[in-house]
């Protein structure tokens, strides 16, 4: 199964060989794990990589319900879906983005940003729909107080735990992709910033048992970023498309306001009034003043940094717009050539009326009365 067109062969285990064939190598590792499910001796080990661990079955009026909590064996599951993310990344790149790039003929800098926006657009779209489905089925939207009631939320349903494991796997896979995709050195610091921020926030929500409020905040963030990357894709296809950036700007400001408001509501007020105050690692309770203040500080610093970047981006857009407007004013409209007035019979030349074919027009004879 080849994901890349091979124009040239490289020595085994060389740098270029690994970059060109990394998806095929990872695909082979995934096949080995799946084959392990077929044999009884290796099935238990293989299932450790594929299925989320630490399940607990409890009885409820609706029947037996299975919940999950986190532990060290989640690292094996994250590793497996880390490989899956690399394969899906290569599929999207090869069969979608590369074909579009050949038609657009973009420069190297725009090509890198186009690939980045294309990959993130697919991820944010899937994650937004997935998160909204969980919020609706779990009932968090209809009952906002459930975001902080009965804390700590140690026991998770399968879809919630699998969502967080998939999120961690995706953002971890984005780190080696900087090497595999040969991202320019100027772009690496910027991409590392948001990759590390996503990893930090997702891991904090998962480890501190703030999974419910984390789902709502991730939905807002992913939907806002989806608008931005769609706007950037339209801009690369045609630089005249600017209205999508205005729509994203409105959504961005709304997302920042709701994120700050919801964070203070859940962490600053909801958890502060909860009865189970204190730190208990075994019970998964992290409801202390220090941890709450640290979480709020992390959210406020991140939102302030995002707003600062947003303001700089809008100022840069405004300056570019002003430059183009000034350049058009200086150039001015080109005067249209004035049409020559000609008589119906011909044109005047040296004071003599000439016909269109160059011959002198005949004088009109006047009939006698």
């Amino acid at each position: 199964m080849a994901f890349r067109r091979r124009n040239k062969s490289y020595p085994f285990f060389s740098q270029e060989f690994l970059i060109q064939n990394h998806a095929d190598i990872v695909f082979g590792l995934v096949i080995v794990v799946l084959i392990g499910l077929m044999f009884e001796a290796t099935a238990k080990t293989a299932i450790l990589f594929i299925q989320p661990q630490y399940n607990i079955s409890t009885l409820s009026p609706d029947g037996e319900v299975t919940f999950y909590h986190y532990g060290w064996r989640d690292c094996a599951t994250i590793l497996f879906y880390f490989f899956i993310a690399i394969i899906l990344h290569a599929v999207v790149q090869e069969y979608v983005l590369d074909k579009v790039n050949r038609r657009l003929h973009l420069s190297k800098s725009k090509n890198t940003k186009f690939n980045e926006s294309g990959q993130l657009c697919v991820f944010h779209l899937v994650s937004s729909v997935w998160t909204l489905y969980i919020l609706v089925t779990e009932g968090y939207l209809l009952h906002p107080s459930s975001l902080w009631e009965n804390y700590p939320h140690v026991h998770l349903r399968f879809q919630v735990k699998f969502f967080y494991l998939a999120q961690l796997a995706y953002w971890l896979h984005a780190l080696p992709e900087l090497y595999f995709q040969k991202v320019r050195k100027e772009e690496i610091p910027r991409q590392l910033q948001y990759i590390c921020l996503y990893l930090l926030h997702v891991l904090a929500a998962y480890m501190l048992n703030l999974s419910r409020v984390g789902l709502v905040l991730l939905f807002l963030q992913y939907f806002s970023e989806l608008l931005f990357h769609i706007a950037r894709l339209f801009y690369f296809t045609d630089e005249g498309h600017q209205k999508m950036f205005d729509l994203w700007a409105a959504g961005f400001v709304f997302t920042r306001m709701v994120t700050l408001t919801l964070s203070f509501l859940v962490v600053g007020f909801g958890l502060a009034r909860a009865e189970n105050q204190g730190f208990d690692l075994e019970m998964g309770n992290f409801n202390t003043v220090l941890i709450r203040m640290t979480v709020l500080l992390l959210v406020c610093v991140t939102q302030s940094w995002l707003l600062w970047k947003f303001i700089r981006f809008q100022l840069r857009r405004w300056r570019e717009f002003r430059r183009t407007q000034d350049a058009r004013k200086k150039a001015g409209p080109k005067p249209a050539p004035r049409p020559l007035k000609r008589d119906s019979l011909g044109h005047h030349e040296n004071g003599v009326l000439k016909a269109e074919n160059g011959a002198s027009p005949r004088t009109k004879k006047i009939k006698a009365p």
Side-chain angles (χ1 to χ4, degrees):
M1 183 176 181
F3 294 103
R4 292 281 181 181
R5 290 179 174 84
R6 285 150 177 77
N7 299 325
K8 185 179 178 181
S9 59
Y10 296 97
F12 284 101
F13 303 110
S14 63
Q15 181 180 1
E16 293 296 332
F17 177 83
L18 292 176
I19 292 175
Q20 190 180 57
N21 301 278
H22 70 277
D24 295 331
I25 296 172
V26 170
F27 183 76
L29 295 176
V30 171
I31 292 298
V32 170
V33 175
L34 294 178
I35 292 176
L37 293 173
M38 302 171 60
F39 303 97
E40 185 177 357
T42 58
K44 292 183 179 180
T45 304
I47 206 70
L48 183 68
F49 290 89
I50 300 173
Q51 183 179 346
Q53 304 298 306
Y54 303 103
N55 56 320
I56 301 174
S57 298
T58 59
L59 294 176
S60 66
D62 298 332
E64 188 177 3
V65 181
T66 303
F67 292 99
Y68 295 82
H69 60 91
Y70 62 80
W72 289 107
R73 282 182 288 178
D74 290 341
C75 296
T77 310
I78 293 174
L79 179 63
F80 178 78
Y81 290 100
F82 168 86
F83 293 152
I84 297 295
I86 292 178
I87 296 172
L88 294 178
H89 187 112
V91 170
V92 173
Q93 185 67 42
E94 174 66 21
Y95 294 103
V96 180
L97 298 179
D98 286 350
K99 291 183 178 180
V100 177
N101 282 331
R102 295 189 195 100
R103 296 183 179 182
L104 295 179
H105 304 289
L106 300 174
S107 61
K108 289 185 178 179
S109 60
K110 287 186 177 182
N111 188 20
T112 301
K113 293 181 179 180
F114 182 86
N115 291 334
E116 176 193 3
S117 291
Q119 294 285 350
L120 290 176
C121 188
V122 174
F123 171 73
H124 289 316
L125 177 61
V126 173
S127 297
S128 298
V129 175
W130 192 0
T131 312
L132 182 61
Y133 174 78
I134 295 175
L135 293 175
V136 172
T137 55
E138 296 293 331
Y140 299 151
L141 294 180
L142 299 178
H143 304 89
S145 59
S146 62
L147 298 178
W148 64 83
E149 289 179 349
N150 301 322
Y151 180 84
H153 307 137
V154 179
H155 297 137
L156 308 175
R157 293 187 181 271
F158 174 82
Q159 59 180 356
V160 178
K161 176 166 183 174
F162 187 69
F163 172 80
Y164 275 97
L165 295 181
Q167 294 295 311
L168 291 172
Y170 180 86
W171 291 114
L172 284 173
H173 113 279
L175 295 173
E177 285 295 341
L178 298 176
Y179 171 75
F180 293 143
Q181 299 297 324
K182 295 183 178 180
V183 177
R184 299 170 57 192
K185 293 182 179 179
E186 297 83 3
E187 295 289 329
I188 290 179
R190 180 184 62 82
Q191 296 191 27
L192 277 177
Q193 287 177 354
Y194 69 77
I195 291 172
C196 294
L197 280 176
Y198 274 116
L199 279 173
L200 177 62
H201 286 75
V202 174
L203 188 62
Y206 185 60
M207 298 294 294
L208 297 178
N209 295 318
L210 297 171
S211 57
R212 298 182 182 181
V213 66
L215 286 171
V216 180
L217 297 181
L218 282 175
F219 170 73
L220 294 171
Q221 177 64 23
Y222 285 159
F223 187 75
S224 174
E225 289 297 302
L226 175 63
L227 294 178
F228 171 73
H229 290 292
I230 290 176
R232 197 157 73 158
L233 289 176
F234 277 114
Y235 174 77
F236 287 140
T237 55
D238 184 5
E239 295 185 358
H241 287 287
Q242 297 285 343
K243 294 183 179 180
M244 283 295 297
F245 283 109
D246 299 333
L247 180 62
W248 162 73
F252 182 89
V253 175
F254 175 77
T255 301
R256 304 284 78 77
M257 294 174 59
V258 176
T259 299
L260 289 172
T261 304
L262 190 62
S263 299
F264 276 95
L265 177 63
V266 174
V267 181
F269 294 96
L271 294 181
R273 297 180 179 181
E275 296 179 357
N276 52 348
Q277 302 283 335
F279 178 79
D280 190 349
L281 188 60
E282 293 183 0
M283 296 297 296
N285 188 6
F286 302 95
N287 192 6
T288 63
V289 177
L290 179 61
I291 294 178
R292 290 199 305 268
M293 294 300 294
T294 303
V295 171
L296 289 177
L297 180 62
L298 175 63
V299 173
C300 291
V301 170
T302 304
Q303 300 306 309
S304 302
W305 179 72
L306 291 174
L307 280 172
W308 171 245
K309 285 187 63 180
F310 173 77
I311 293 172
R312 290 180 59 187
F313 176 77
Q314 295 298 329
L315 288 176
R316 187 169 64 250
R317 282 188 62 207
W318 181 76
R319 287 173 188 151
E320 291 177 356
F321 177 76
R322 293 290 298 176
R323 284 198 203 106
T324 55
Q325 291 296 323
D326 293 341
R328 290 177 181 177
K329 288 181 180 179
K330 289 180 180 179
K334 295 182 178 180
R338 297 178 62 183
L340 296 175
K341 293 183 179 180
R342 297 187 177 184
D343 296 334
S344 59
L345 296 175
H347 64 278
H348 291 275
E349 184 178 327
N350 294 329
V352 180
L353 183 64
K354 295 288 186 180
E356 289 296 334
N357 56 3
S360 298
R362 290 185 177 184
T363 58
K364 196 172 183 179
K365 294 182 180 180
I366 302 175
K367 295 182 178 180

